[in-house]
Amino acid sequence: MTPRTAVDTAAGVRSGSLRAADVLEEHLARVASREAEIHAFNLVTQDAARARAADIDRRVAAGEDLGPLAGVTIALKDNLCTRGVPTTCSSRILEGWKPPYDASVVERLAAAGAVFVGKTNLDEFAMGSSTENSAFGPTRNPLDTSRVPGGSSGGSAAAVAADFATVAIGSDTGGSIRQPAALCGVVGVKPTYGAVSRYGLIAFASSLDQIGPFTHTVEDAALLMEVISGHDARDSTSIPQPAMQLRQELGKGVEGLRIGRITDLPAGADPGIMARLDAAFAALEAQGASIVDVQVPAFTYGLTAYYLVAPAEASSNLARYDGVRFGMRVEAPDTNAMYSATRAAGFGDEVKRRIMIGTYALSAGYFDAYYGKALKIRRLIANDFAAAYAKADVLLTPTSPTVAFELGSKGDNPLAMYLCDTYTIPTNLVGHPAMSVPFGTAELGLPAGVQIMAPTLGEPVMFRVAAALEEAAK
Amino acid sequence: MSVHITRADVAKVAKLARLNMSEADLDRYTEQLAKMLDHFEDIDALDLSGVEPMSQPFPLVNVMRPDVEQPTLDRDEVLAMAPAAEQHRFRVPPILGIDL
Amino acid sequence: MSEQIVPGWELVVGLEVHVELATRTKLFSGSPNRFGDDANVHIDPVTLGLPGALPVLNEHAVELAMRVGLALNCRIEPCTFHRKNYFYPDMPKAYQISQYDQPLNLDGFLDLPDGTRIGVERAHLEEDTGKSTHVGGDGRIHGSEGSLIDFNRAGVPLVEIVSRPDIRTVDQAKDYVNELRAILVAIEASDAKMEEGSMRVDANVSVRRPGEPLGTRCEIKNVNSVRSLGRAIEYEARRQVDLLEAGDRIRQETRHWNESDGRTHTLRVKEDADDYRYFLEPDLVPLVPDREWIERVRSAMPVLPAARRAALGAFLGVPADSAAVWTVVDRGQDAYVLASVDAGGVGERVLVYVQQAFAEAGPNPAVPADGLARLTVMERSGELTATQAKDVLAAMLETASADPAAIARSKGYEAMDTSAIAVAVDEAIAGEPAAWGKYCAGEEKAAGALVGRVMKATKGQADGKVVTALLQERRTANG
Ligand SMILES: [Mg+2]
Ligand SMILES: [Zn+2]
């Protein structure tokens, strides 16, 4: 049974042919039957959701026209601030904290009529690619529960894949929406940096973080983008433009578009994954697009640049978890001892590792060798992409080098885990949009995702290509 | 770059980052951070002279707000969330050493 | 040089002044920037550094900082914000957003009243911290049982003004701070109150033998008045000279001025643990003031106090740095003084009255300028004695009157003619033979008793100058 889309749900609820309460109960029933096994959520907010759905139905009955997401159930990654609702980043250090405010994205979704079903699990502070680094235990892939859903937004991807919610919101710093989307067989979008407000998104790496949707369909993703994008005065890096209009792009086809194949793409993807990429090029060519070869030589340095920039920014962003104003505290005889004890007990291993590497990369004597160099590599990558986009409208790569892997299989080897994001990281470094669209299956019959990358604010053409791939995958 | 991170470096960084570390932690982190830094040596080969650093993906300037008051948070709600508070203030253990 | 604290040694001082800007709201959020309210009421997610909060720059703070830069003859430059990372309980995010290698205002100067030009290296924008109070242990940080944090001040916009080490005497340091304070108030950038902490001065002090390179400096903090600044610098310079003369070295450190024992004490030694890991604040974008914006700010700048003091001094024929001129310009009453003199007032008397009687009157006193002018003319012509004139002025202030003659009449102040005063003088000489004797022997102070007796007899209506003249006349005749 194919899940009901957000577009259909909102249309049904707005016309009165569908009750928001019924939509919600269907989802909550699935949560009740499978959540114990999957652990997509840190918190299911069923009471608030029921009250909200009832309110929507009442308002529809009263003749009110609700927004474009009327009655659509949404799961929120647990690094988005929700007023009065615990927000943990899957970290002990934030246990018990209830933000006194809503993230801008949460406000916009609520204004559009959405029903929030809960806060989803993630790698602690979004640091990871498997959702195994959660203080509250891992999330499992609904398609094969011995495997990971990817990460860090694994809970959101799993929630959509298991149809616990119609759509979900995640955040993507180095691939944290696209990679789990690929591993769970759903659509995932990382918008242009600055297209979606970060206000209320708990920062991991401020110059890389972007919020984006998980959906079953490209059209739903376009709809979500229309709701959450657009200028926000509370985020100084928000691009001063109105919300994007993307659904109008979906039917335009790809005739005449130039699809770039990166000939010097770093190797390492599994054969089944590369086969799906080839099939995607063929499908687009068959629909009238032309395939062009491009080079992005600096692509390969993305991983190193990312693992210097992201931890450096994170080391500073995570300094505020000091046991003074909110969250956890381990008592100690003096303030410095309290800081060190609290942070040692409150953060998990991967978070500490990144704080350490980031602190080191910024510290006196090493700044130029590490952080300063990484910023220059960002520029190199941007220059290489600019040259590639002079020849191609979009670029296609695999989203993830592999299909969903088994829990625990990457063991205690952080570097092996980092390689999961080889193909997704470069776009974060340069702020470009990219999305993952499910495109058949690869190894073990598990889903494969194709990544579509576009230049800054190139979402319209990116979505055209996504719609074409989705059509071809049917 | 090829700087080799030492156990002393790791201890110093842990102090800067306010992370308590046991002797065993220090050994483990020294090994893991060294491995990572070795891995990052791929960028040593790059000629980056004359390359402008890029710290923000989208170039904006002069983003400002008018000097207008906005609603503040409720003090009781905020202090209720604090690990320790008294006299409407956040309480911390004694501060050893002034400044820094 | 008499200004040398210790002969043979030269003092070298640079000042870092933090000034809270007079905005309505904080530098990066819309919470009120207001002093003296109940603890933790001016808080919001940005001020508290809550997870997910993002800073947005206050445009008015930028303009006030630009005014500071223009007043200090700085270049206004494209600039950026950095994070200065360090842990301290009053610093909510564990980093301060400040300006680092690209500050807003660069390379200016401030001229002292004596003409000395002190270089200003930079004047940059940054955010203030919260405030800690220490509980137990007599409220001192040492031995306290803990600290309580109030974040009302956290995020208040500051301009940090860093002088070059061009200051060579204690008086120059005090003049620099006084002049700077006058400028900041005049351009309405800050109320610049050292006692309330809206202006905080740190002094970098070193000493050297004249002609030698700069010595090791110590930074002196916790100076809460201009007077303390002078005392602290003087103490610190002597301490350093004593060490050097004893063959010791100066250790670079931050020292704390203790007002009660009049000494500086080690606060902390600079060590390599001071690693702020500065990097560009990714949550903010660069600030690039264009020419048009800078000109708009410049055109709204008032005339600065030094120029106003010079103008007033020149007009009245008094020294531009006299206390009366400083006071009147500080209060913004110089335009009033000029108007009163233009209306025919006696300049020197107008200045004195405004300085002494108009402390509460503000820049636009209730007494019309021509009214004060008439009063000084009546006094000068002898229609009113100095005492009477003061009395009349008090009444004018009370009733916002422009008519001193009417008030003088209503009080019965008729000018006494000289012959009536002469009678009173002769009676006083007869009544105070001892004083008269001393006065005749050349003891000028003895005149006081005689004049007092005359004033008492005439109920203060005798003109003091006339009395003095008559006494002198009598003494000459006597001698
Ligand atoms: Mg300083
Ligand atoms: Zn400062």
Side-chain angles (χ1 to χ4, degrees):
Chain A
M1 193 192 90
T2 42
R4 191 186 292 114
T5 64
V7 170
D8 290 346
T9 304
V13 169
R14 288 167 93 172
S15 71
S17 66
L18 198 60
R19 278 165 30 97
D22 295 339
V23 172
L24 173 65
E25 292 308 326
E26 288 168 20
H27 287 103
L28 290 178
R30 280 188 289 270
V31 171
S33 74
R34 292 199 72 196
E35 169 63 2
E37 179 193 14
I38 292 170
H39 186 215
F41 291 100
N42 287 337
L43 179 70
V44 178
T45 52
Q46 50 195 10
D47 294 346
R50 283 186 170 122
R52 169 87 174 145
D55 182 52
I56 286 170
D57 289 329
R58 219 169 6 249
R59 286 161 63 187
V60 170
E64 239 182 275
D65 186 21
L66 284 123
L69 295 178
V72 173
T73 54
I74 299 193
L76 297 170
K77 188 176 183 177
D78 202 14
N79 61 354
L80 289 162
C81 287
T82 43
R83 197 190 151 99
V85 177
T87 300
T88 68
C89 284
S90 290
S91 182
R92 294 266 173 231
I93 211 155
L94 270 176
E95 244 185 325
W97 183 59
K98 293 178 189 165
Y101 73 109
D102 276 326
S104 290
V105 159
V106 173
E107 281 183 356
R108 288 185 187 195
L109 292 168
V115 175
F116 301 116
V117 293
K119 308 293 294 284
T120 61
N121 198 11
L122 63 148
D123 287 299
E124 184 178 0
F125 282 101
M127 296 176 183
S129 307
S130 67
T131 317
E132 291 168 292
N133 297 335
S134 164
F136 312 126
T139 296
R140 290 167 184 270
N141 193 318
L143 305 172
D144 176 349
T145 54
S146 71
R147 292 171 186 274
V148 303
S152 64
S153 313
S156 287
V160 173
D163 205 12
F164 290 167
T166 303
V167 298
I169 300 295
S171 66
D172 188 315
T173 306
S176 280
I177 290 173
R178 291 159 287 162
Q179 184 255 14
L183 269 49
C184 291
V186 298
V187 177
V189 183
K190 187 211 83 88
T192 298
Y193 183 83
V196 177
S197 170
R198 292 182 296 117
Y199 189 78
L201 167 68
I202 300 183
F204 162 14
S206 312
S207 76
L208 307 170
D209 296 340
Q210 266 296 284
I211 294 169
F214 288 92
T215 60
H216 290 291
T217 66
V218 171
E219 189 183 21
D220 276 2
L223 171 63
L224 266 286
M225 283 295 294
E226 290 178 6
V227 172
I228 64 176
S229 66
H231 182 249
D232 179 14
R234 292 181 290 187
D235 175 356
S236 302
T237 62
S238 171
I239 299 172
Q241 280 202 350
M244 293 180 175
Q245 296 304 317
L246 296 172
R247 279 177 293 174
Q248 66 199 27
E249 303 295 323
L250 303 181
K252 289 185 177 170
V254 292
E255 175 122 36
L257 288 185
R258 300 162 304 164
I259 314 294
R261 183 203 311 268
I262 302 176
T263 56
D264 51 357
L265 191 71
D270 287 346
I273 297 283
M274 289 312 288
R276 292 315 298 159
L277 179 65
D278 290 341
F281 279 117
L284 293 173
E285 199 166 26
Q287 292 184 45
S290 58
I291 311 302
V292 295
D293 284 351
V294 299
Q295 282 82 46
V296 187
F299 198 109
T300 187
Y301 300 109
L303 206 65
T304 294
Y306 176 84
Y307 277 97
L308 291 169
V309 171
E313 292 183 6
S315 71
S316 174
N317 285 330
L318 270 60
R320 69 188 60 195
Y321 304 97
D322 59 4
V324 175
R325 286 145 294 126
F326 51 84
M328 196 186 107
R329 172 190 290 188
V330 174
E331 290 298 345
D334 69 82
T335 298
N336 263 321
M338 184 277 283
Y339 290 154
S340 299
T342 299
R343 292 164 58 78
F347 290 135
D349 253 4
E350 182 61 24
V351 172
K352 284 188 224 174
R353 197 151 39 230
R354 297 206 196 183
I355 290 174
M356 291 291 290
I357 204 91
T359 304
Y360 183 67
L362 287 175
S363 65
Y366 301 103
F367 184 95
D368 292 337
Y370 292 118
Y371 188 72
K373 245 185 189 172
L375 295 184
K376 291 183 172 187
I377 293 168
R378 288 179 88 164
R379 180 75 61 195
L380 284 189
I381 297 172
N383 292 344
D384 285 356
F385 270 122
Y389 286 122
K391 295 184 194 159
D393 298 302
V394 298
L395 308 176
L396 249 55
T397 70
T399 304
S400 159
T402 67
V403 295
F405 46 92
E406 292 192 313
L407 261 80
S409 63
K410 308 263 178 203
D412 199 19
N413 182 356
L415 286 165
M417 191 69 84
Y418 295 175
L419 288 171
C420 293
D421 298 325
T422 304
Y423 301 129
T424 49
I425 273 172
T427 49
N428 294 88
L429 288 168
V430 297
H432 295 169
M435 66 192 286
S436 181
V437 178
F439 201 66
T441 57
E443 276 74 12
L444 303 162
L446 289 164
V450 167
Q451 176 176 229
I452 309 161
M453 303 189 286
T456 297
L457 295 175
E459 276 88 346
V461 68
M462 182 174 86
F463 269 84
R464 274 173 73 183
V465 175
L469 278 181
E470 183 181 54
E471 189 57 37
K474 275 182 184 162
Chain B
M1 86 189 80
S2 282
V3 265
H4 226 81
I5 191 162
T6 64
R7 202 169 180 282
D9 291 333
V10 173
K12 190 178 135 188
V13 170
K15 193 179 161 197
L16 264 182
R18 301 296 190 276
L19 289 169
N20 267 354
M21 283 209 183
S22 65
E23 296 299 309
D25 289 338
L26 283 178
D27 291 337
R28 195 159 49 91
Y29 278 98
T30 305
E31 194 199 313
Q32 285 181 345
L33 297 191
K35 242 188 231 166
M36 260 184 239
L37 293 172
D38 283 350
H39 201 82
F40 295 165
E41 281 178 7
D42 64 335
I43 59 172
D44 285 4
L46 285 172
D47 178 13
L48 295 169
S49 55
V51 178
E52 264 298 297
M54 174 179 182
S55 36
Q56 256 162 347
F58 195 93
L60 294 170
V61 296
N62 296 347
V63 176
M64 288 173 284
R65 61 178 182 85
D67 185 23
V68 174
E69 284 189 26
Q70 299 293 329
T72 53
L73 290 174
D74 180 71
R75 178 173 68 189
D76 295 336
E77 187 187 347
V78 168
L79 288 173
M81 223 90 71
E86 65 185 63
Q87 297 171 41
H88 303 311
R89 292 166 170 87
F90 298 85
R91 178 161 185 146
V92 294
I95 302 168
L96 299 186
I98 307 180
D99 211 357
L100 272 194
Chain C
M1 259 178 30
S2 64
E3 283 163 338
Q4 281 181 343
I5 291 169
V6 182
W9 289 91
E10 184 178 52
L11 173 68
V12 177
V13 176
L15 296 176
E16 282 179 26
V17 181
H18 283 87
V19 179
E20 287 182 352
L21 294 176
T23 53
R24 278 197 194 88
T25 66
K26 296 189 179 181
L27 185 53
F28 298 117
S29 76
S31 283
N33 165 15
R34 211 153 46 221
F35 177 79
D37 288 336
D38 209 15
N40 287 308
V41 292
H42 304 319
I43 55 171
D44 60 86
V46 175
T47 295
L48 290 175
L50 295 187
L54 293 173
V56 186
L57 183 60
N58 181 339
E59 181 171 22
H60 190 51
V62 174
E63 294 205 350
L64 292 182
M66 282 165 64
R67 277 193 217 168
V68 173
L70 291 170
L72 297 177
N73 310 289
C74 292
R75 294 196 315 273
I76 294 182
E77 297 277 286
C79 59
T80 52
F81 291 91
H82 273 67
R83 291 188 184 177
K84 179 182 184 180
N85 295 283
Y86 67 93
F87 285 86
Y88 202 74
D90 64 16
M91 175 57 73
K93 305 179 295 302
Y95 56 83
Q96 179 193 34
I97 303 178
S98 181
Q99 296 193 298
Y100 183 51
D101 53 355
Q102 295 172 295
L104 175 65
N105 302 301
L106 262 177
D107 205 17
F109 59 85
L110 185 150
D111 285 334
L112 304 183
D114 72 358
T116 311
R117 178 160 291 186
I118 307 299
V120 170
E121 195 180 303
R122 57 189 283 155
H124 69 253
L125 265 170
E126 62 185 25
E127 55 179 341
D128 209 342
T129 61
K131 262 185 172 166
S132 330
T133 45
H134 310 296
V135 289
D138 304 332
R140 306 273 300 273
I141 191 161
H142 291 293
S144 79
E145 292 155 15
S147 299
L148 302 176
I149 321 289
D150 169 14
F151 289 107
N152 281 348
R153 199 183 67 179
V156 162
L158 295 175
V159 168
E160 179 178 338
I161 301 155
V162 183
S163 89
R164 296 193 188 282
D166 292 347
I167 294 166
R168 292 290 174 274
T169 69
V170 167
D171 281 344
Q172 283 178 357
K174 291 159 115 177
D175 285 353
Y176 176 91
V177 173
N178 282 327
E179 189 68 53
L180 183 57
R181 201 197 61 81
I183 290 170
L184 293 167
V185 171
I187 63 175
E188 294 174 3
S190 175
D191 61 6
K193 291 180 179 164
M194 281 184 84
E195 63 283 8
E196 282 183 11
S198 60
M199 178 166 175
R200 304 194 281 272
V201 182
D202 301 333
N204 286 302
V205 178
S206 65
V207 296
R208 66 175 171 190
R209 298 277 185 194
E212 284 189 352
L214 290 176
T216 303
R217 66 195 166 93
C218 289
E219 185 176 5
I220 315 300
K221 289 187 178 287
N222 192 45
V223 176
N224 296 321
S225 67
V226 173
R227 188 173 159 271
S228 301
L229 175 70
R231 289 178 67 205
I233 292 172
E234 192 163 336
Y235 172 84
E236 178 61 18
R238 282 187 205 282
R239 186 189 72 88
Q240 291 185 14
V241 168
D242 286 349
L243 278 172
L244 293 171
E245 287 189 337
D248 286 337
R249 284 182 336 110
I250 308 295
R251 199 165 51 153
Q252 191 180 341
E253 59 189 13
T254 302
R255 299 180 67 84
H256 181 95
W257 168 249
N258 186 328
E259 188 68 45
S260 48
D261 70 3
R263 295 163 185 249
T264 64
H265 300 265
T266 300
L267 201 57
R268 63 190 180 87
V269 180
K270 295 263 178 203
E271 31 174 326
D272 49 17
D274 302 7
D275 185 344
Y276 294 116
R277 289 154 286 137
Y278 281 100
F279 72 105
L280 268 176
E281 163 60 285
D283 290 329
L284 291 169
V285 302
L287 182 62
V288 184
D290 58 24
R291 181 185 292 273
E292 189 216 345
W293 188 15
I294 296 170
E295 287 317 310
R296 191 152 37 83
V297 174
R298 192 195 304 275
S299 67
M301 292 275 287
V303 180
L304 296 183
R308 284 162 47 200
R309 286 194 298 268
L312 186 61
F315 186 80
L316 301 177
V318 299
D321 64 343
S322 70
V325 170
W326 261 91
T327 305
V328 163
V329 169
D330 256 8
R331 293 189 203 138
Q333 294 165 331
D334 42 332
Y336 177 86
V337 169
L338 294 174
S340 182
V341 175
D342 265 344
V346 179
E348 165 207 333
R349 297 308 296 160
V350 169
L351 183 63
V352 167
Y353 283 133
V354 172
Q355 181 200 7
Q356 293 176 353
F358 285 28
E360 310 300 327
N364 300 302
V367 176
D370 58 340
L372 178 62
R374 277 192 282 278
L375 177 74
T376 60
V377 170
M378 287 174 72
E379 185 192 358
R380 176 54 50 96
S381 69
E383 278 178 67
L384 290 174
T385 67
T387 313
Q388 288 171 339
K390 238 187 204 169
D391 204 23
V392 170
L393 181 59
M396 288 171 80
L397 273 165
E398 232 168 76
T399 58
S401 161
D403 193 352
I407 292 174
R409 261 195 312 280
S410 74
K411 287 181 175 288
Y413 293 158
E414 305 286 346
M416 290 184 75
D417 64 36
T418 310
S419 60
I421 298 174
V423 172
V425 166
D426 291 333
E427 279 171 10
I429 289 171
E432 299 279 352
W436 174 245
K438 284 183 191 164
Y439 180 69
C440 288
E443 206 176 306
E444 298 297 329
K445 274 200 301 195
L450 299 163
V451 174
R453 193 165 175 120
V454 173
M455 288 302 173
K456 203 173 169 194
T458 61
K459 299 195 174 67
Q461 288 190 39
D463 185 334
K465 278 182 240 137
V466 177
V467 175
T468 308
L470 286 169
L471 281 171
Q472 278 166 351
E473 220 177 273
R474 302 282 190 277
R475 177 165 67 180
T476 311
N478 197 34

